[in-house]
Amino acid sequence: MRGGGLLVAGTTSDAGKSVVTAGICRWLVRQGVKVAPFKGQNMSLNSFVTREGAEIGRAQAMQAQAARVEPTALMNPVLLKPGSDRSSQVVLMGRPVGELSARGYHGGRQKELFEPVLACLEELRSTYDAVICEGAGSPAEINLRRTDIVNMGIARAARLPVVVVGDIDRGGVFAQFFGTTALLAPEDQELIAGYLVNKFRGDVTLLEPGLDMLYDLTGRRTFGVLPYAHGLGIDEEDGLRVSLRGTVRESVVAPPVGADVLRVAVCAVPLMSNFTDVDALAAEPGVVVRFVDRPEELADADLVVVPGTRGTVKALAWLRERGLADALARRAAEGRPVLGVCGGFQVLGERIEDEVESRAGTVDGLGLLPVRVRFAREKTLARPVGEALGERVEGYEIHHGIADVRGGEPFLDGCRVGSVWGTHWHGSLESDGFRRAFLREVAAAAGRRFVPAPDTSFGALREEQLDRLGDLIEEHADTGALLRLIEEGAPAGLPFVPPGAP
């Protein structure tokens, strides 16, 4: 097999396309298939830097790990990073090329990107045995079909069979499957091979009559019913679609090693990016991570994290409006731990000069760290390696802000003053030795009898989760039928479901 392919579409956003794509990749690579993930266009504030210095969506980096290959810009040629409800930064082949409104993007620029996106897919198909593509949102967004480069547009151009994933936990999955198919043009419907039910709870035999009726209505079979899987902890694709108010990041089910737990509060700033940074904390036994947006919620926190953001000045104003800025200042004065990452590091500084992101000019920061930040038009994209607290640290950088550190103790690329820490490095807490050393410092400053587990490996935990995704596909999907789709394409003679595209 060489150049086989499959598009995993969804009835809605968050139907499970990312995890199903990752699961198929992991199942295939365990069968000895050389496989790569692909998403032509991604909209996400959670991104990653490849070894070649390209910025792509974290979901595709996770899928590459599932496929046991190194992520590259080919796997996500277009990344949209929202800066507001109406505009996004456009990242092409890992580099920002401009800021566009939604009308401007769908009005013409998206169409211009179709050929480069298709070329990336074809390059991957010429190199790998199989390419598992992920769609975006729903393929039945009839208002956007003319300029589509990620769902049926790419499927039709590359003759990819399509499996549509539906989240049955939300209800209405049969209507979603039928309606998605029925709103597509006949040429698109020819590629809709069938369906995959996701997040099912209960006795599958009760579902089977509905699947039979769906087949009678559409002429398309259901390739599997995946059970609801708790605690997967896989990277979120898009923080904008998820309300984080009161959300607790799922932790491993293990008691704390020491006498106390450690409570981590993450400020849910606007346009929050790479909130996956705290996943490594949530993976530690005895660490509880929650997202907060009120100052009183910081009172019992042993560590407060100010995460990255696509809108540093906007986040700074939000912290002040909510009273969180004052609460952070009180914590610093009391010697209680605060960690700022990327945009969160910038807001903790003395001053921000921004003529690029917000164009707000010079704005006073919170003044908790001796740092001045100037926004550059060129984005810093890097994969740094260093040392802190006597431990080796790896991370990645994605930022326009250039930090001028004017004091404090060195901490990675940033600094530390008392119990306030700041760095541009995302992903540093995934370095196990460093994470343990950092948590020991936090516990000491917070007066908690918390002891990091000596053997927690974040990398090993992530591999276990990816294997669980592979197991879901292997155990609950018709893998033989999926393999035939990948090798041979959509079956001929699939019936048309009226009315079709308007």
Side-chain angles (χ1 to χ4, degrees):
M1 171 173 48
R2 175 52 63 92
L6 176 70
L7 176 69
V8 178
T11 57
T12 63
S13 297
D14 303 316
K17 298 182 293 292
S18 294
V19 294
V20 167
T21 300
I24 294 174
C25 285
R26 178 50 60 101
W27 164 69
L28 282 172
V29 78
R30 294 195 309 208
Q31 310 310 306
V33 177
K34 186 181 178 185
V35 59
F38 177 81
K39 185 164 186 174
Q41 171 195 295
N42 199 346
M43 177 175 279
S44 180
L45 288 169
N46 286 330
S47 58
F48 181 77
V49 178
T50 68
R51 294 205 179 278
E52 78 236 44
E55 184 179 9
I56 67 172
R58 273 198 69 98
Q60 279 60 66
M62 176 269 291
Q63 290 160 358
Q65 185 177 351
R68 296 179 179 149
V69 295
E70 189 67 34
T72 73
L74 291 172
M75 298 171 184
N76 180 207
V78 179
L79 173 63
L80 305 179
K81 301 194 73 175
S84 71
D85 289 341
R86 296 189 176 185
S87 69
S88 294
Q89 182 182 71
V90 181
V91 179
L92 176 62
M93 292 304 293
R95 294 284 171 179
V97 294
E99 195 93 13
L100 280 179
S101 67
R103 181 183 292 273
Y105 183 70
H106 290 287
R109 186 61 191 273
Q110 188 178 35
K111 200 169 183 179
E112 296 172 11
L113 297 173
F114 182 77
E115 290 302 326
V117 166
L118 185 59
C120 288
L121 173 58
E122 292 308 319
E123 185 171 344
L124 288 173
R125 293 182 78 177
S126 70
T127 307
Y128 290 87
D129 298 333
V131 179
I132 307 303
C133 307
E134 180 188 344
S138 162
E141 305 288 359
I142 54 179
N143 56 316
L144 303 177
R145 176 62 184 89
R146 182 177 58 86
T147 56
D148 171 47
I149 65 172
V150 66
N151 289 309
M152 300 313 299
I154 201 77
R156 198 195 295 187
R159 302 307 299 170
L160 292 171
V162 180
V163 172
V164 182
V165 177
D167 178 359
I168 197 171
D169 197 51
R170 298 180 175 191
V173 76
F174 293 115
Q176 292 169 21
F177 284 144
F178 181 86
T180 297
T181 309
L183 279 175
L184 297 177
E187 298 83 356
D188 289 344
Q189 287 195 25
E190 289 175 2
L191 298 172
I192 302 295
Y195 313 110
L196 195 63
V197 176
N198 192 30
K199 299 184 184 178
F200 180 72
R201 308 174 194 247
D203 184 351
V204 73
T205 61
L206 299 177
L207 189 66
E208 288 170 352
L211 301 179
D212 293 339
M213 287 186 275
L214 182 66
Y215 178 81
D216 292 339
L217 288 166
T218 67
R220 290 159 175 84
R221 56 170 300 193
T222 299
F223 292 103
V225 178
L226 307 183
Y228 195 105
H230 294 276
L232 283 173
I234 296 297
D235 293 343
E236 303 281 358
E237 181 178 88
D238 189 350
L240 289 184
R241 295 196 186 100
V242 182
S243 173
L244 294 171
R245 177 72 188 85
T247 298
V248 176
R249 296 300 276 182
E250 294 187 14
S251 304
V252 292
V253 182
V257 175
D260 291 339
V261 299
L262 209 61
R263 296 173 176 84
V264 179
V266 183
C267 297
V269 297
L271 298 174
M272 180 165 45
S273 62
N274 289 69
F275 59 81
T276 48
D277 282 336
V278 300
D279 284 350
L281 295 178
E284 283 284 347
V287 176
V288 179
V289 179
R290 69 183 188 273
F291 291 88
V292 303
D293 60 5
R294 293 196 296 252
E296 55 269 27
E297 293 176 300
L298 306 189
D300 67 343
D302 302 306
L303 169 67
V304 173
V305 177
V306 188
T309 172
R310 173 84 168 84
T312 300
V313 171
K314 182 180 290 188
L316 185 57
W318 182 87
L319 289 168
R320 288 186 166 125
E321 290 165 3
R322 295 277 178 140
L324 287 159
D326 290 339
L328 289 168
R330 287 194 297 271
R331 286 187 67 90
E334 295 165 359
R336 303 176 66 200
V338 175
L339 171 65
V341 180
C342 200
F345 166 41
Q346 295 168 6
V347 304
L348 297 180
E350 298 170 348
R351 189 175 72 195
I352 298 168
E353 296 177 28
D354 181 11
E355 298 293 349
V356 176
E357 191 175 76
S358 68
R359 298 181 175 86
T362 301
V363 178
D364 288 336
L366 300 185
L368 305 185
L369 291 174
V371 176
R372 296 184 180 181
V373 176
R374 176 184 56 82
F375 274 65
R377 296 200 176 276
E378 187 72 19
K379 181 183 283 191
T380 297
L381 297 169
R383 289 279 293 269
V385 177
E387 184 176 303
L389 305 179
E391 300 286 347
R392 187 176 186 274
V393 188
E394 295 184 35
Y396 58 99
E397 295 183 63
I398 307 170
H399 55 91
H400 284 279
I402 306 299
D404 176 14
V405 180
R406 300 187 166 204
E409 301 175 41
F411 177 64
L412 301 176
D413 71 320
C415 64
R416 170 190 184 179
V417 174
S419 291
V420 180
W421 320 62
T423 177
H424 275 128
W425 291 20
H426 294 289
S428 63
L429 293 167
E430 295 179 18
S431 298
D432 298 325
F434 167 71
R435 183 181 64 254
R436 294 183 196 114
F438 177 71
L439 290 176
R440 283 192 289 269
E441 293 259 355
V442 168
R448 294 288 185 188
R449 294 174 296 167
F450 170 83
V451 178
D455 55 357
T456 300
S457 167
F458 183 75
L461 288 171
R462 177 55 54 91
E463 277 295 304
E464 289 175 13
Q465 304 292 51
L466 294 173
D467 274 332
R468 287 181 64 196
L469 293 182
D471 293 343
L472 285 174
I473 297 299
E474 186 169 348
E475 296 168 10
H476 300 282
D478 186 339
T479 53
L482 290 177
L483 196 58
R484 284 192 295 276
L485 287 178
I486 293 167
E487 293 177 332
E488 302 170 11
L494 291 169
F496 172 69
V497 180

